Amino acid sequence: MQRTSPRVHLDSLTDFFDIEGMTDDERWMESALREAEQAKKRKEVPVGAVIVHNGRIIGKGYNQIETLQDPTAHAEMIAITAAAAGLGSRRFEGCTLYVTLEPCAMCAGAIVLARIPRLVYGASDPKAGACGTLYNIVQDARLNHRVELVGGISGERCGGLLSDFFAAMRGNGEPGKEVPR
């Protein structure tokens, strides 16, 4: 089965959301949350990501690990692949990645390799977070690229979506079963 890279709707952010009282980061995080909802509908851990360039989404994705039986099918990886195709480049100058959960080590490495200049995430990940919680790969001075990092944008909503998902999983006769990210 192939990864699903949803077709990107290139309308501007203002076409999607009521912009009163929200920052640009909050508005774009809403798009990432919509992707996370797609994962949840498919019984995947609800993590969503969008990549924005010049005020438009150029790549988006949601977790597809269980669907594809692919441990690399994280929301960020799918969004990065879609954005690279859209940009026609492996380097993401002028882009921002919005993701509902702090990226893991694999995704943080991909963010550095793609030269994404800015990362905005919602909820911190105390078990696998590699962008400030357990590690800080994206700002490691030993690497040849460092990322501007903003955490906690819509963090309660992002974290609540994950908490609700895992509570529902435990409530369905699978107590204590770890569901992979």
Side-chain angles (χ1 to χ4, degrees), residues 104-149:
C104 69
M106 173 185 69
C107 294
I111 290 163
V112 170
L113 291 173
R115 308 292 196 272
I116 296 173
R118 187 164 185 265
L119 167 65
V120 178
Y121 69 83
S124 295
D125 186 349
K127 293 186 178 183
C131 297
T133 299
L134 297 178
Y135 310 101
N136 195 351
I137 292 170
V138 298
Q139 294 184 325
D140 191 321
R142 296 170 295 179
L143 301 176
N144 62 351
H145 176 72
R146 278 162 292 294
V147 177
E148 177 188 340
L149 185 60

Side-chain angles (χ1 to χ4, degrees), residues 26-43:
E26 290 169 332
R27 289 190 297 268
W28 289 119
M29 188 61 74
E30 287 296 320
S31 293
L33 278 159
R34 284 205 323 252
E35 291 300 307
E37 289 289 346
Q38 291 299 313
K40 182 180 174 184
K41 287 178 186 175
R42 290 162 176 80
K43 297 187 179 4

Side-chain angles (χ1 to χ4, degrees), residues 6 8-9 13 16-17 24-36 47-53 56-62 75-80 82-83 92 95-101 111 116 118-121:
V8 178
H9 193 289
L13 181 63
F16 293 112
F17 303 108
D24 285 346
D25 286 344
E26 290 169 332
R27 289 190 297 268
W28 289 119
M29 188 61 74
E30 287 296 320
S31 293
L33 278 159
R34 284 205 323 252
E35 291 300 307
V47 177
V50 298
I51 298 175
V52 175
H53 182 256
R56 299 198 182 279
I57 294 173
I58 59 164
K60 60 184 179 177
Y62 54 85
E76 302 94 320
M77 301 297 281
I78 293 167
I80 288 169
F92 290 54
C95 293
T96 299
L97 168 60
Y98 293 87
V99 61
T100 57
L101 181 65
I111 290 163
I116 296 173
R118 187 164 185 265
L119 167 65
V120 178
Y121 69 83

